[in-house]
Amino acid sequence: MNRMVGYCRVSTHKQVDHGMSLQVQEQQIKSYASLYNISLIEVISDAGQSAASLERGGLERALSMLDAGKADGILVTKLDRLTRSVTDLGKLIEQYFTKYRLASVSDQIDTYTASGRLVLNVLISVSQWEREIISERTKLALKYKKDNAQRYSGYAPYGYRFDAGMIVADEDEQDIIRFV
């Protein structure tokens, strides 16, 4: 179980150039593979792809390498590069990681052991909670801005315009709305 494919992902195109870039992830994967005598078959990346879905070209390609017998497992820098969903992780574990290996550099997870599988399940639960709490906070902040006539999106709805960061009625468009 020493032949592994590396998998890297960033959520936004902005992250491709900033933050934990694909190049940094790839370097960490290569260093880990070298340290633990893992034969790294290939490093595959998904640039600007959310972990909200498993339908990502790079991930699908990495998984197909497992199916084809070209690799024995997948190596990621951090578990949330693979997925942030408990449901999706459950699918991956059921379909792949009961017979193939999953290892994470930063999380110190290796599903080759029972302890590694336990830590994997705990960490993915925390990751999903983190994604959900960020979503809740964002929705609350946007609702507050909307309720207080503050700019909350990139455009004003028809009949309104932005003025000094506040949403105000556009009288010309309001006349059209009243006419309609």
Side-chain angles (χ1 to χ4, degrees):
M1 296 207 65
N2 262 355
R3 297 175 306 145
M4 297 185 79
V5 60
Y7 176 73
C8 306
R9 179 192 64 80
V10 291
S11 299
T12 66
H13 292 288
K14 186 176 182 181
Q15 288 175 311
V16 172
D17 298 320
H18 305 291
M20 188 167 176
S21 73
L22 295 172
Q23 293 83 8
V24 172
Q25 291 179 52
E26 184 173 343
Q27 183 56 49
Q28 288 180 340
I29 285 170
K30 287 178 178 178
S31 296
Y32 185 93
S34 175
L35 181 65
Y36 290 97
N37 199 29
I38 293 170
S39 175
L40 196 57
I41 305 301
E42 184 178 349
V43 178
I44 299 172
S45 299
D46 275 321
Q49 297 288 311
S50 169
S53 168
L54 294 177
E55 295 177 7
R56 290 174 258 143
L59 178 59
E60 290 170 347
R61 191 162 141 243
L63 294 172
S64 72
M65 290 178 76
L66 298 178
D67 289 332
K70 294 179 181 177
D72 303 311
I74 293 180
L75 176 60
V76 295
T77 56
K78 205 165 183 240
L79 189 57
D80 65 6
R81 301 298 85 204
L82 186 63
T83 183
R84 288 182 175 241
S85 164
V86 173
T87 304
D88 286 346
L89 179 64
K91 289 176 190 174
L92 289 172
I93 290 172
E94 185 177 313
Q95 293 175 358
Y96 293 96
F97 300 121
T98 53
K99 57 183 173 179
Y100 301 109
R101 183 176 176 187
L102 172 63
S104 172
V105 175
S106 298
D107 301 316
Q108 293 296 305
I109 294 172
D110 191 336
T111 60
Y112 199 58
T113 67
S115 296
R117 290 186 294 275
L118 172 65
V119 172
L120 172 71
N121 284 305
V122 170
L123 286 177
I124 196 61
S125 293
V126 171
S127 184
Q128 179 173 327
W129 168 82
E130 181 181 34
R131 187 186 75 208
E132 290 172 359
I133 201 74
I134 288 169
S135 175
E136 286 176 6
R137 288 177 185 151
T138 301
K139 287 175 186 173
L140 283 172
L142 292 175
K143 183 181 180 331
Y144 175 84
K145 286 180 167 255
K146 183 178 181 181
D147 291 347
N148 289 284
Q150 296 177 0
R151 186 176 191 152
Y152 61 91
S153 70
Y155 61 92
Y158 189 80
Y160 297 88
R161 62 182 168 76
F162 292 116
D163 185 11
M166 303 295 284
I167 297 174
V168 296
D170 181 311
E171 289 308 318
D172 292 335
E173 291 179 359
Q174 289 293 321
D175 288 341
I176 295 169
I177 291 171
R178 282 189 286 276
F179 176 75
V180 172

